[in-house]
Amino acid sequence: MNPLIPSGARAEFIDLDGGRVRVLRGGAVGTGPPVVLLHGGATDNAAISWYRLFAPLGADHHVIAPDMPGFGATSGIDPVGGPGALADFAARVMGELGLAEAVVIGVSMGGDVALNLALRHPRLVRALVLIAPGGLVPLVGNRAVHTAAWLGTRLPDWMLLPAARLANRFVGTALRAVVHDIATLPEEVVAEFRREALRPGAAIGYIRYNQATVGRRGMRNNLLPVVEQITVPALFFHGELDPLVPVEGSRTAAALMPSARLAMVAECGHWAQLEAHDRFVSEVTAFLAGLGERPARPAERPGDSGEDLEGP
């Protein structure tokens, strides 16, 4: 089965970091700023999370969605780990494509990456759309659950990879643990999710992300203490029934950030941009239309030179 290509998109490959990065591109240079889409973790890729978004955004925006190292059709690059390193990778992709700045849209892990991109490379980020973003909780669940999660990330690859391959065979179960109503997902997305889950090495990118972010005593990627430093316009979009990422993180971050607001979606799970597509397009279209002129650029921060903003 051929890899899924969303309507309105085309697949290209760029040479970067010693490997090849698949980039889905659509639309054209229009009246609006470019839009960069950052997919989530687990067995996600750019075609899955953004299957429904190229066509509606492409009329007025150049739309770009890379597969991160360890995901999708990007090859020859070892997974880079946590959201800070992934943000630096996204910055290199943008540089390779000649993008001076863009609106960055990220889901779940990709939302965590987008927040780090805004902190580490503020000149590249015109605005943010954050769908159930990671990086905004101090613990995985309660203390006991967090300790169990941390212990799981400490297992060696020879145990983790076979366990992930076994788990990935139960695609229907995995999807029902993510979305509120699996019937809201396009059949093409479900088929691609199944294909990606069975791809050799499909889990390694997300394993490295979790190993980098789940600390013994807390989340190393918790950005709540610094998120108020992100001053660009931001839209949080979060399903009210999200079983994976607590909505409280989005609510708190939206209150702390000076130019952010939260759109809460009823009867919706974690993949809110797919489950509530019409509402998402409506919110994003209005958000993009309201950006207006670019405000004064923030000063460069130490993270712009590659300093790691993740905790110990």
Side-chain angles (χ1 to χ4, degrees):
M1 182 173 61
N2 293 326
L4 180 67
I5 303 297
S7 176
R10 63 188 183 277
E12 300 177 0
F13 288 84
I14 60 174
D15 295 327
L16 186 68
D17 293 355
R20 299 180 76 224
V21 180
R22 185 183 76 159
V23 179
L24 300 180
R25 302 178 75 168
V29 177
T31 57
V35 175
V36 172
L37 309 173
L38 302 177
H39 64 73
T43 57
D44 199 1
N45 66 38
I48 294 173
S49 270
W50 312 119
Y51 177 69
R52 286 177 153 170
L53 206 54
F54 280 87
L57 289 185
D60 296 313
H61 303 271
H62 181 196
V63 185
I64 304 102
D67 285 339
M68 293 295 189
F71 297 87
T74 288
S75 62
I77 308 173
D78 290 335
V80 296
L86 286 166
D88 293 343
F89 176 82
R92 292 195 294 277
V93 171
M94 291 178 67
E96 191 70 19
L97 296 174
L99 298 177
E101 71 171 6
V103 175
V104 181
I105 302 179
V107 58
S108 195
M109 180 191 81
D112 190 3
V113 177
L115 287 164
N116 276 270
L117 188 65
L119 286 165
R120 299 167 75 91
H121 305 277
R123 289 181 177 272
L124 294 179
V125 179
R126 171 68 182 87
L128 292 169
V129 178
L130 305 157
I131 308 155
L136 298 173
V137 295
L139 295 170
V140 177
N142 57 34
R143 179 64 62 181
V145 172
H146 183 92
T147 298
W150 174 76
L151 289 171
T153 66
R154 299 302 97 191
L155 296 174
D157 283 357
W158 65 265
M159 295 180 67
L160 282 171
L161 290 173
R165 283 195 295 270
L166 178 62
N168 286 349
R169 296 181 65 88
F170 300 95
V171 172
T173 300
L175 285 174
R176 288 180 176 84
V178 172
V179 303
H180 176 60
D181 181 2
I182 196 172
T184 61
L185 301 181
E187 292 181 3
E188 298 90 339
V189 166
V190 175
E192 176 71 1
F193 187 84
R194 179 175 290 106
R195 189 197 67 80
E196 177 68 14
L198 298 177
R199 178 179 60 82
I204 190 65
Y206 196 50
I207 286 174
R208 295 291 182 259
Y209 170 80
N210 286 323
Q211 288 171 333
T213 56
V214 182
R216 182 172 185 174
R217 296 179 179 84
M219 295 301 294
R220 296 187 180 117
N221 63 331
N222 179 19
L223 294 176
L224 287 180
V226 297
V227 77
E228 65 184 10
Q229 297 170 15
I230 300 174
T231 60
V232 295
L235 170 66
F236 287 82
F237 192 83
H238 210 129
E240 190 176 43
L241 302 178
D242 189 335
L244 297 184
V245 176
V247 72
E248 191 55 40
S250 288
R251 182 180 290 115
T252 302
L256 290 170
M257 292 164 60
S259 302
R261 71 176 182 88
L262 169 63
M264 188 82 73
V265 191
E267 300 298 315
C268 182
H270 183 62
W271 251 348
Q273 83 283 8
L274 286 167
E275 298 179 68
H277 169 69
D278 291 343
R279 168 78 184 278
F280 182 71
V281 170
S282 175
E283 293 279 357
V284 170
T285 301
F287 176 75
L288 293 174
L291 289 179
E293 294 297 321
R294 179 70 159 95
R297 293 182 183 273
E300 294 290 339
R301 292 173 43 77
D304 296 332
S305 61
E307 179 183 333
D308 197 350
L309 292 175
E310 295 162 31

